[in-house]
Amino acid sequence: MGETLRNIGTRARRVDALEKVTGRARYVDDLELVGMLHLKALTSAHAHAELLSIDTRAAESMPGVFAVVTGKDVPGENQIGVQIADQPLLASGKVRQMSDRIALVAADTAEHAEAAVRAIKVEYRPLPVITHTDEALAPGAVKIHENGNVMTKKQVIRGDVEQGFAAAAAIVEDVYEVNYQEHAYLEPNGCIAIPEPDGGVTIHASAQAPFYIQKAVARVLGVDYARVRVIQATTGGGFGGKEDYPSEPSACAAVLAMRTGRPVKFVYDRAQDLAWSTKRHRMKVTNKIGADGEGRITAAQVRIDCDAGGYTGLSAIVSERSNSTAFGPYRTPTARVDTYVVYTNNLFGGAYRGFGTPQTTFAMEAQMDELAARLGLSPAEIRRRNILGPGDETTTCQKLTESVPGIETFEAALARSGYEQKRREFEAFNQTSRWLKKGIGIGACMYGGGLHAGGQFLEGSGALVHLRPDGSVLVSIGGTELGQGAFTVAAQCAAETLGVALEHVRVTPSSTDFVTDSGPTVASRTTVMSGNAVIDAARQLKGRILEAACELYGVPADEIELREGQVLKRDGTRLGSLKELANTAFAVKKVNLSAQGWYAPPRKTWDNARGNGDAYSSYCFAMQVAEVEVDLRSGRTRVVRVTAAHDVGQVINRTLIEGQIEGGVVQGVGYALMEDLKLDQGRCLNPSFTDYLIPTTLDVPEVDIVLIEQPHSAGPFGAKGIGEPSLIPAAAAVANAVSEAVGYRFRRLPLTPERVLMSLEEAGKLR
Amino acid sequence: MNLEEITLKINGAVRSAPMPSAIRLVDALRRLGYTGTKEGCGEGECGACTVLLDGRPVNSCLLFAKQVQGKEIVTVEGVGRGHPDGMHPFQKALVAAGGVQCGFCTPGVVVTGAHLCDTRPQASVQEIKEALAGNLCRCTGYAKIVEAVQVAVAELGKQS
Ligand code: FES
Ligand code: FES
């Protein structure tokens, strides 16, 4: 780059910090409109049943009720399935999970709508409820969908895995099972649909992917995309939970808005949100790895059974990430992955930060420890011998070329945490301590940034940048702000490129009216995608105004620099202000001061049959070391410290990156230790924060962060994504630490005190 | 539905409107335009609805508005009253430390945190964590929130 960066690598204040800290930020439930109606939904009483009849007559004549709709009233297609058309918006014929909607009511108040919902009568003929992938796959199992219970099957084939195992000196094989995780964003789902005079509709939604909502709403209404405007309201967290799911409430509200001609608000309470929205998938992972006498992996094989719930949703692509990166950051000379995505009548699986990889990472990292023990190596040493480096091929036979600091990141985590020494200390401590046991564990991850090759049709991202005649800048991006700081990063990229002070950059709420379909804000892709798109637009503008400056000041364009709102010569002499330049460019020279930016990574090739090819555009490494204390009397685990070393390419905003890592680690700690959704016959038994516990201030470890910067040429200023890698290895590291502390291998999550005690009791470890 | 005139003292002002007699405090505040107060759970678990009632942090989702008529209520909109720029030092510290992400927990965190800074400037890190244990935040992992309390306490110390 040559030039010093002024707005990159800083601790710039969030562009939305003031509005949030003063309570002014406007979330969707803070919007009230004249004549607005409230929507309530009736959901199924069974997880699996035939739907015999729905009687809405009584409900229709209840006070305040404007409309009651069922599947037959959807004006367009009664279909919400984003990947496969297997999910009606409103149940028709059959229900397959508890969250299936039977009918919707719009009324003048939420209370009236609620009362009308209770007056709807439904007749069901219950069917056997399938509660586990093993049951779904058993011969003769009742079919949840006509074409059977296997939604899709994926695989990766690399070399001859049997030969690989034949060459192994040690082989470990085991089954790991992980439960759901709820996103538990603090703001439940919500949206408002406003019918527009031109026959279209405007949606304000708490959402990660306005373009998904646009398509879903257009589909159920049977209108053009161009008539559906989706504006992202300030969104109180997403973590993947607001990728695909918000299309459902938005489509419901849109149907009723069109039907009644009134704005319709649909905001969930916590119990509804917990019971209805998607979750991190339950998975059963059967992992087998073999290594030679030196600890070098010769073969890796895994079977993944992913519990999708009643519908496809995003499960087919979530499991593609499990499938393509099941062996983490390790060399696998021969490998075989078989991934089954299976329908059940459990909760609906969907996108959640890490997207199918925290589950496989938990299994793989446990297996690495087991393999190390078998070979008499330390957990650190076996990893060191297998971590992928530049020039190596991934499991999908993709050659890693640029910015591959796996081993650097790993060693940084070990060194910073004092891993080897602590491991020895803890071992000595445990010799003499009867009840309190200490452990240290490693979790390692290599994360593919951006969408998988299979999803690359969604990969392009846009931005719109206007330079105003007073030198201020307005930016719109196709990505969304979920709390992660996307708008701040976008503003920093614009400020840096245009040489304008950050406080003169405003980022608009994301709207489908401003920018072309930019895909979802997921896959840790937004810094890279939206960042690059902003830079593209800003560079175009810069070129145009430098041309104007060249004429205005009589200095060659390549001699001119824009810096913090000033126009300077390279030697530092001031030529004028950006304000005066922008105004002259606009008023006198009639320069177009708006630019559309676009970024799409190069096309990736992918062979679906063998699961071979360039799965992702680039990769980043995340290596975490967790230190725990387990109290054998209570079974309770305290995570004392997590050292998190992350390969981030280039820091854009240090505070934001730290925030992502601290938050991600804590979600991972919750996943490892306490978050436990309980189901009975497909029904969620604990849909509340009273019974589904997430970490509080008292549950969190100290998080010690090390950042490794090895810029990647495809990233804005060299940056890579960080959102998900922060979470993925955390649960694995904690679980390994707990296993080491108590000398017993846990193969299930979460490690609640009850599970720890029961497992140790059974294993005879508590005597 | 029975409507009743409900009168509340909010951030030093008296506000009233006819509302259902069993309305919760969180709903009453929001109807009166104090939408900074959020509902994250409705059952006293998340703290997003925290306000001060006669100087003590409470969950406004667990109270009926009727019960608290005549008491002094402070919401996130009123925490900064009397401070330079209308911002309590804890609000400023939270911004500077980066203790705000999605912002949905933030109003509750601000009310609890500012009250803590004002009333217990000697609090240890453990005590700060205990005071904030009723405010769930899913984004930040809490480290920067705790740091902001420490910074703000130091700042308030300088001011007095
Ligand atoms: S909304 Fe009151 S504590 Fe959660
Ligand atoms: S900032 Fe999102 S919940 Fe705290």
Side-chain angles (χ1 to χ4, degrees), chain A residues 419-463:
Chain A
Y419 174 83
E420 296 289 359
Q421 195 191 332
K422 278 199 185 127
R423 188 156 181 263
R424 283 191 298 272
E425 278 171 22
F426 291 177
E427 216 186 304
F429 175 90
N430 292 343
Q431 298 284 325
T432 54
S433 171
R434 173 135 187 238
W435 298 113
L436 191 69
K437 300 288 182 186
K438 295 187 181 185
I440 187 162
I442 305 175
C445 143
M446 181 179 76
Y447 186 81
L451 304 177
H452 188 271
Q456 60 185 321
F457 65 96
L458 281 175
E459 239 185 357
S461 274

Side-chain angles (χ1 to χ4, degrees), chain A residues 214-468:
Chain A
Q214 182 181 47
K215 289 181 228 178
V217 167
R219 187 182 195 181
V220 300
L221 295 183
V223 302
D224 291 347
Y225 290 0
R227 293 216 185 269
V228 180
R229 173 171 64 150
V230 182
I231 299 169
Q232 188 207 11
T234 305
T235 295
F239 316 116
K242 292 175 185 167
E243 177 181 0
D244 51 323
Y245 187 75
S247 298
E248 298 190 22
S250 293
C252 293
V255 166
L256 278 159
M258 297 313 260
R259 174 98 172 196
T260 60
R262 298 283 193 106
V264 172
K265 183 186 262 190
F266 193 11
V267 173
Y268 291 8
D269 64 26
R270 179 59 56 185
Q272 291 165 338
D273 198 285
L274 260 150
W276 297 349
S277 68
T278 54
K279 309 283 171 263
R280 185 188 303 293
H281 293 84
R282 261 190 190 173
M283 274 188 203
K284 178 177 164 191
V285 181
T286 311
N287 177 308
K288 177 180 178 187
I289 41 174
D292 64 17
E294 309 277 77
R296 295 199 163 77
I297 294 172
T298 57
Q301 185 166 13
V302 70
R303 175 185 164 124
I304 299 165
D305 291 297
C306 172
D307 182 343
Y311 301 99
T312 304
L314 293 178
S315 295
I317 53 168
V318 170
S319 60
E320 181 60 270
R321 197 177 271 277
S322 324
N323 187 61
S324 296
T325 58
F327 304 116
Y330 305 115
R331 281 187 292 267
T332 50
T334 69
R336 167 96 204 192
V337 184
D338 291 280
T339 302
Y340 292 83
V341 189
V342 182
Y343 291 123
T344 68
N345 301 116
N346 287 334
L347 304 180
F348 194 16
Y352 187 161
R353 197 176 196 179
F355 217 66
T357 65
Q359 298 97 322
T360 52
T361 302
F362 163 61
M364 184 64 186
E365 289 300 295
Q367 291 289 81
M368 290 300 278
D369 279 10
E370 292 289 292
L371 195 57
R374 206 64 76 75
L375 290 163
L377 294 170
S378 83
E381 192 51 36
I382 195 163
R383 287 174 172 81
R384 186 175 286 130
R385 292 182 187 180
N386 288 286
I387 287 174
L388 288 154
D392 285 337
E393 274 188 11
T394 66
T395 306
T396 69
C397 309
Q398 177 177 2
K399 198 170 174 137
L400 298 174
T401 49
E402 193 193 343
S403 181
V404 195
I407 202 74
E408 291 89 332
T409 311
F410 179 71
E411 297 295 354
L414 293 190
R416 177 76 147 249
S417 62
Y419 174 83
E420 296 289 359
Q421 195 191 332
K422 278 199 185 127
R423 188 156 181 263
R424 283 191 298 272
E425 278 171 22
F426 291 177
E427 216 186 304
F429 175 90
N430 292 343
Q431 298 284 325
T432 54
S433 171
R434 173 135 187 238
W435 298 113
L436 191 69
K437 300 288 182 186
K438 295 187 181 185
I440 187 162
I442 305 175
C445 143
M446 181 179 76
Y447 186 81
L451 304 177
H452 188 271
Q456 60 185 321
F457 65 96
L458 281 175
E459 239 185 357
S461 274
L464 180 59
V465 179
H466 305 283
L467 177 61
R468 298 306 194 197

Side-chain angles (χ1 to χ4, degrees), chain A residues 27 30 658 675 695 697, chain B residues 30 38 102 129 138 142 144:
Chain A
Y27 299 80
D30 302 337
E658 290 168 359
E675 299 186 29
T697 45
Chain B
R30 293 177 55 81
K38 303 298 183 213
C102 83
K129 289 185 173 179
R138 191 57 155 172
Y142 305 107
K144 295 185 185 312

